[in-house]
Amino acid sequence: MEISESPLAEAGRRFFSPENAKKWIELLRPGFHLREQNEGEPLVGYLGGEPLLPADVPWPEWEGHGPLSFIAAVDCGEIPVQELDIPVPSDGMLLFFYFNGVGDDAVQYLDPDTITGGTRVVYVPEGTENVAQRPAPEGLEAFPRIMLTGELIATAPDNENAALVAAFGEAGDDPAADDDYTEYPTVGDADGDGFYDALTSFRRDHSPHHRVGGYALPKAGSVTKEASHAVAPGDDDAAKAQRRELLDELVMLLQVDSDGRAAMEWGDTGRLYWLIRREDLAAGDFAKATFTWQSE
């Protein structure tokens, strides 16, 4: 896939000035869209069901709350890691778990403690021995299994993304500010409807939005800015400076959309997002992955 030939790139050429279209295309990033597998297509992962876990790996639990639900698995050997711009392992399985609770049992926005306890990424290297399907612990109902294949797509920054604000914002805008927002720089399209129609059509063609890598598709504000608060909480200058650095360091590992086929509904048609520092991903240190979720 050539990003410069993607529908998102074409939308920029059609609705932006030549200078801004060039900037826009340079901002686009590759992502690996996960969709339901059809007959004859490669299997690259699955939602729900029973995960493949080594015998010596316990089922993830949140102390004082209970076992986490298994959400998704991705076979790194079946995704085009060389085409992505994040250092995903070239083989092995990534397994994602989340505590699907409410009230005091919910994983809270921006709360490092609930995120650490209520979410988990488990990496199972290729060749690991004694790997077998593990049924969910007693009392925990597994989500229905959906087999997934995938395809490379272009992904675009949202209006609060620091890179977009830096590229197209007003003078004096702070790209790292939580509430800074910039419009897409459309021309010859008075209300921006043509460009947004192109975005909407592209997103509709790739729904549900399950994805490895690329930009997160938010439901309520910048996902990366939100996740940076979970890694570096606080209002002091040191925390703010660390969050500013994290905007360049955090990359999205996996996004899981609400999906009725798998009986997955995250709030009101929300999404789950796992993020990790690029250097931690390269080192395979998935214990340092972080998380946020958003809902309308």
Side-chain angles (χ1 to χ4, degrees), residues 7-86:
L8 293 182
E10 178 56 32
R13 283 191 287 266
R14 182 178 177 189
F15 295 107
F16 296 172
S17 70
E19 178 184 1
N20 284 335
K22 183 176 184 295
K23 287 183 183 180
W24 168 252
I25 294 168
E26 290 172 348
L27 287 176
L28 300 178
R29 294 178 53 209
F32 194 62
H33 170 62
L34 301 172
R35 57 173 176 80
E36 189 168 11
Q37 180 195 32
N38 294 316
E39 185 176 354
E41 293 180 325
L43 177 66
V44 301
Y46 49 92
L47 300 175
E50 298 179 351
L52 289 164
L53 279 171
D56 61 350
V57 174
W59 189 283
E61 291 198 5
W62 183 6
E63 185 176 355
H65 297 262
L68 278 57
S69 294
F70 170 65
I71 304 301
V74 177
D75 185 346
C76 299
E78 292 295 331
I79 64 176
V81 295
Q82 71 281 359
E83 301 291 337
L84 297 176
D85 61 359
I86 60 173

Side-chain angles (χ1 to χ4, degrees), residues 196-218:
Y196 278 99
D197 286 348
L199 279 183
T200 299
S201 176
F202 180 79
R203 290 168 178 168
R204 184 175 56 244
D205 290 343
H206 297 88
S207 178
H209 301 283
H210 310 310
R211 183 184 301 165
V212 175
Y215 291 104
L217 181 59

